[in-house]
Amino acid sequence: MKSRWNDDDAAYFQDPLSLRAYSSRLIGSDEDLVLHGGGNTSVKMPVADIFGENHEVLYVKGSGWDLADIEPAGFAPVKLDVLKRMAELEALSDTEMVRHQRASMLDPSAPNPSVEAVLHAIIPFRYVDHTHADAVVTLSNTPDGERLVREVFGERVLIVPYVMPGFMLARTIRSVTADTDWSSLEGMVLMNHGVFSFADDARESYERMIRLVDIAERHLESRHAGKVARSESPGEFDCLQLAALREWVSIAAGKPVLVRSDNSPEAVGFSELSNLEAIATRGPLTPDHVIRTKRVPLVIGEDLDEAISRYIDDYKHYFLDNTDGRQTCLDPAPRWGVWPGRGMVAFGGTVGEARIVADIARHTARAIQWGEALGGWRSLPEKDIFDVEYWELEQAKLNSGKTQPSLAGRIALVTGAGSGIGKACAAALLKRGAAVVAADVKGLDAPELDVPGVKAVRCDVTDAVQLQDLVATGVRAFGGLDIVVSNAGNFPASRSIEDMDDETWNGSLDLNLSSHQRLLRYAIPYLKHGMEPSVVIVGSRNVTAPGPEASAYSAAKAGLTQLARIAALELAGHGIRVNTIHPDAVFDTGLWSESVLRSRARSYGMSVEDYRAKNLLKAEVTAADVADVVCELAGRTFSKTTGAQIPVDGGNERVI
C-alpha cells in the first residue's frame, strides 16, 4: 500500500478541518481501507462561539457521509470536554450517548456525530483515523489472531480484544489505556473490527495508517496468502433462473429487490472452491458489514426453492437463538449469494444498495481466502454479530418510517426510449424508484438518463434477435422484469388506401404491431417471476377515432389494442396486468414533425394552430403527462385493473 499524500494538493487546505477532509478522502478513495461509509476520522481544534469564547472541539465524521467524498460540512463539531466526561461514566446506553453527543454540538445543523466520537475524544492526538482495512482485519479473523497481530506489528500498536462498538468500546479503551504511553504507539488494532492511527499532524496520522496496512499486506504475501482463486471459465447466469431467484428473495424481503451479478474470474473462482459452503458461512469480514450483508450469504444449490427456504429457516433460528425478546426480527432475506460455478450475486432495494453489497461481498470473498491460507478463516461468534445487527441504534432506524418511492425495486423495460413518450416514461419510472432498461433504435442521448439506475440498449425492435437480446440484457443488468412499456412506433407518411404501397403498409404493421407481439412473447417468461408485473401498451386515439390517410398506422394500432386485450385475458392467471393508453396530439414527440402536423391539419380542414388545440379541455398534452399515466398504471393505484383502455388526449368528442 502506498501513500497518496501530495504536498501540492495539501497546500490548498490552510485550516485543520479542510486538511482533515483532504486526508479523509485519501482514505475513502481506497477500497482496501474502507467501503461505502465505513471508517471514521476526526480532528481536534479550538473554535470560538458567537460570544468569542473558545471551545476545544472534536470534528468527527458525521452520519450519512462517506469518506470518499467528505467535505468539511460532513464533520460534526462536538465539545471535547463533554465527550471526555461521557467516557468516565460507568454506564450509558448508545441511544443516550447519541442524544448527548447531539446536544453538545456547536452547530445544530451539522450531521449526527459518529457513534465512535467518544473513542476519538479520548485518544490524545489531534488527528485520528479509523479504517476497516482488509489485510489487518483478515489477520485478526484467524484462530490465533491476537498472536498473529502481535507477531506482525510488534509493540507499535495497542491490541484490543473485540468489544461492541459504541459507548462500551470507548469505555473499555479508556480503562485499558489508563497507564499507556500513547507516544510509544503508532496505532491500535481492534480485533475483528479495524485499525486506528493517530498523530498531531494530518499527514503523519494518514501515513501511519498506510504503513500499518502495508505491513499487514506484506505479511500476507510472505505467507503466500495474498492470492485468490481465479476461474479460467467465464461464469454464466441463466436469465430465467436469475429472475426466479430474485422473485424468491423479494418475497422473503417483503419488497422488490434488484440483483447485481458478478461473473468475474475471481467471483467464479470463489464459487468453485471445494469447501465453499463451509468457509463462506462463517461470518462477515467485520461486524460493521452485517447491517448491509447479514451474517452469512446464501449458497445457491440446484434447487432454488429449497436453498432459499433453508436460508430463511436458518435465519429465523439465528434470531430466536440470540434475541433477548426485546428485538424485532428483521426480514430473513439474504443480501448476497454465491452460485457454484457461476459467480456471486448481491441484492438491494436500489441499484446503489446492490452495488454496495456486491463490493463488500467481493472484499469478503477475497479476505476469506487470505484467512484460510493463514490457518483458517474465523469470524466473530454468532452472538457478537447478532448484537451489531440488532444494535439499538439500528433498531431505531427500523421505526423511522422512511418513505420509499412508489416503484422502488421494480424493474422496467421501455422501448422507443430515445425521445418523446418513451423518453418521458423512462425518466418518470426512474424518478419513482424503478430501475430502467431503456431501448431505442438510435441509442440513448439523454443526460438525465445517463445514471446507474438506467441500462441503455441500442435495439431495433423489428429485429427478433435484437429484441430477445434486449430482454435478456435487462434481466442480467437488474435481475428480472416487472414492467414493460411497449412504446416503440412511428407514424408513416399519410397516404390514402388507394395510394398505399406495400412497403409503407408492411413496415407499419411490423413496427407498430408485430414487434410488440414479439416483445410480449420474450418478456412473459420473466414477467411470470416479476413483482406486481404490469404491461402498458402505448396505443393511439386513432384506434377509437381513426382519421383519413392513416390506415397503415390506425390498423396496426387497432391490432395492437386487440393484442393487449387478449394478453390481459391470457396473463391474468399469472397476476400480470395488461393495460393500454391511447394518447393523442402529444406534440412534443418525434411523431409530430412540422410536415406531419400540416398534413394532419389539412386532412381535417383545419389550420395547424386549431389542430393543436382541438381537444375538449383545450389543454396541451405533453409526453410527461402520458408518462405519469403509464407510471400510475404500472403502480399500486391500478393494481386491480387489467384490460383497460385509457385515453390521454384532453378529451375527444369522437372518442367520447
Side-chain angles (χ1 to χ4, degrees):
M1 180 160 287
K2 303 294 184 184
S3 170
R4 300 183 183 184
W5 186 278
N6 183 291
D7 283 331
D8 292 335
D9 291 341
Y12 286 105
F13 307 106
Q14 301 299 315
D15 65 281
L17 182 57
S18 295
L19 198 60
R20 171 72 285 176
Y22 165 70
S23 61
S24 298
R25 290 193 294 272
L26 295 181
I27 290 172
S29 63
D30 193 329
E31 287 189 350
D32 293 338
L33 293 175
V34 293
L35 282 169
H36 304 294
N40 41 68
T41 59
S42 68
V43 61
K44 303 175 182 77
M45 55 188 288
V47 177
D49 62 20
I50 61 171
F51 305 108
E53 297 177 2
N54 275 329
H55 299 270
E56 283 297 316
V57 171
L58 176 80
Y59 277 91
V60 65
K61 191 194 90 164
S63 176
W65 282 79
D66 194 314
L67 291 180
D69 53 17
I70 196 167
E71 297 290 342
F75 291 88
V78 192
K79 293 179 181 178
L80 190 59
D81 61 336
V82 175
L83 293 173
K84 289 182 175 180
R85 290 183 65 188
M86 287 169 64
E88 296 173 2
L89 296 172
E90 288 299 322
L92 184 68
S93 74
D94 287 324
T95 299
E96 282 293 292
M97 179 190 71
V98 168
R99 188 170 69 84
H100 286 294
Q101 285 180 175
R102 180 99 199 145
S104 303
M105 290 170 54
L106 263 62
D107 181 0
S109 66
N112 277 329
S114 164
V115 295
E116 291 177 351
V118 177
L119 174 53
H120 282 251
I122 63 175
I123 297 176
F125 291 93
R126 192 177 196 186
Y127 290 90
V128 177
D129 297 332
H130 170 44
T131 76
H132 304 142
D134 292 353
V136 177
V137 180
T138 298
L139 294 177
S140 68
N141 283 3
T142 55
D144 199 11
E146 189 166 340
R147 182 200 59 77
L148 183 57
V149 171
R150 176 62 66 205
E151 175 188 321
V152 171
F153 293 114
E155 299 300 320
R156 71 177 72 210
V157 301
L158 175 71
I159 300 175
V160 182
Y162 176 77
V163 180
M164 176 82 176
F167 176 75
M168 282 307 300
L169 176 59
R171 186 77 177 80
T172 299
I173 290 178
R174 181 182 180 278
S175 175
V176 301
T177 60
D179 299 319
T180 296
D181 177 10
W182 284 89
S183 65
S184 67
L185 300 173
E186 292 182 25
M188 177 169 60
V189 173
L190 308 182
M191 296 297 292
N192 308 97
H193 182 167
V195 55
F196 277 78
S197 63
F198 30 75
D200 287 326
D201 177 77
R203 178 173 184 172
E204 179 60 22
S205 182
Y206 165 71
E207 293 193 334
R208 282 183 174 181
M209 176 65 70
I210 299 304
R211 284 197 297 273
L212 292 173
V213 178
D214 183 61
I215 290 169
E217 291 180 341
R218 289 178 184 274
H219 182 80
L220 289 174
E221 291 180 4
S222 73
R223 297 277 297 272
H224 305 290
K227 297 180 180 179
V228 297
R230 292 173 59 91
S231 175
E232 298 300 322
S233 304
E236 292 186 10
F237 291 97
D238 179 274
C239 287
L240 202 56
Q241 287 188 323
L242 195 62
L245 172 64
R246 173 189 175 249
E247 179 187 17
W248 269 104
V249 174
S250 296
I251 291 170
K255 65 178 183 180
V257 300
L258 306 177
V259 183
R260 186 179 179 94
S261 54
D262 180 0
N263 64 343
S264 64
E266 293 82 3
V268 179
F270 180 65
S271 78
E272 291 176 338
L273 294 175
S274 59
N275 58 344
L276 172 68
E277 188 153 9
I279 62 175
T281 56
R282 291 179 189 164
L285 176 58
T286 170
D288 297 69
H289 290 164
V290 72
I291 307 303
R292 302 274 196 186
T293 65
K294 292 203 178 290
R295 190 178 71 87
V296 297
L298 168 71
V299 178
I300 304 164
E302 289 299 320
D303 188 332
L304 284 180
D305 300 4
E306 192 274 333
I308 295 177
S309 296
R310 186 174 71 248
Y311 185 96
I312 292 170
D313 288 342
D314 288 347
Y315 186 84
K316 290 177 179 177
H317 285 301
Y318 156 76
F319 176 79
L320 293 173
D321 289 345
N322 292 284
T323 183
D324 61 10
R326 293 180 296 177
Q327 296 90 357
T328 300
C329 188
L330 301 171
D331 75 76
R335 297 301 190 263
W336 67 289
V338 189
W339 208 324
R342 301 184 187 184
M344 302 195 302
V345 288
F347 312 106
T350 66
V351 170
E353 286 179 11
R355 178 176 61 86
I356 289 171
V357 174
D359 287 345
I360 294 174
R362 176 167 48 88
H363 282 256
T364 301
R366 184 178 63 173
I368 286 173
Q369 294 172 81
W370 291 351
E372 281 294 284
L374 290 174
W377 173 261
R378 188 181 73 178
S379 187
L380 283 168
E382 183 179 288
K383 182 62 168 66
D384 289 318
I385 301 297
F386 178 88
D387 288 343
V388 176
E389 184 176 2
Y390 284 85
W391 198 0
E392 61 185 279
L393 299 181
E394 295 301 327
Q395 289 280 293
K397 292 178 184 177
L398 256 184
N399 302 315
S400 62
K402 196 154 83 172
T403 303
Q404 292 290 323
S406 61
L407 298 178
R410 306 275 299 282
I411 302 167
L413 186 155
V414 182
T415 60
S419 62
I421 290 172
K423 180 179 175 181
C425 286
L429 289 161
L430 182 68
K431 183 178 179 181
R432 288 163 173 79
V436 180
V437 183
D440 196 88
V441 67
K442 296 179 180 178
L444 218 59
D445 183 18
E448 68 271 29
L449 297 179
D450 186 16
V451 295
V454 175
K455 177 69 175 179
V457 182
R458 186 185 296 273
C459 176
D460 179 352
V461 295
T462 64
D463 184 314
V465 174
Q466 289 188 40
L467 196 56
Q468 195 165 13
D469 286 346
L470 165 67
V471 176
T473 297
V475 173
R476 284 193 293 267
F478 301 119
L481 188 59
D482 305 312
I483 300 167
V484 172
V485 181
S486 198
N487 164 73
N490 72 346
F491 195 102
S494 296
R495 283 187 174 85
S496 66
I497 295 173
E498 182 182 7
D499 295 331
M500 181 66 63
D501 59 273
D502 288 345
E503 183 178 358
T504 299
W505 178 262
N506 292 330
S508 180
L509 288 178
D510 194 24
L511 176 58
N512 293 315
L513 173 57
S514 297
S515 72
H516 296 258
Q517 184 270 340
R518 285 190 290 267
L519 175 59
L520 277 175
R521 189 200 321 161
Y522 300 140
I524 285 170
Y526 302 104
L527 288 170
K528 288 179 178 178
H529 293 289
M531 303 305 293
E532 302 178 37
S534 174
V535 177
V536 181
I537 301 290
V538 180
S540 169
R541 181 271 301 169
N542 280 39
V543 172
T544 50
E549 299 185 352
S551 60
Y553 180 76
S554 299
K557 286 292 187 177
L560 178 59
T561 301
Q562 192 74 342
L563 174 69
R565 295 174 67 195
I566 295 168
L569 293 170
E570 291 183 0
L571 301 178
H574 299 285
I576 303 170
R577 298 181 295 110
V578 185
N579 294 292
T580 305
I581 60 167
H582 293 308
D584 183 38
V586 185
F587 297 117
D588 61 341
T589 69
L591 290 178
W592 292 97
S593 64
E594 286 301 318
S595 61
V596 170
L597 264 173
R598 286 194 297 271
S599 173
R600 299 313 301 152
R602 185 171 58 252
S603 69
Y604 281 91
M606 303 170 68
S607 68
V608 170
E609 291 71 22
D610 288 340
Y611 185 74
R612 283 181 178 273
K614 68 183 178 66
N615 67 60
L616 294 176
L617 296 176
K618 305 298 182 187
E620 179 183 3
V621 180
T622 67
D625 295 326
V626 178
D628 286 340
V629 177
V630 168
C631 289
E632 291 301 318
L633 280 171
R636 292 186 178 175
T637 301
F638 287 90
S639 62
K640 305 299 188 292
T641 299
T642 193
Q645 299 182 52
I646 301 178
V648 190
D649 59 7
N652 184 301
E653 60 185 8
R654 293 179 62 208
V655 172
I656 295 173

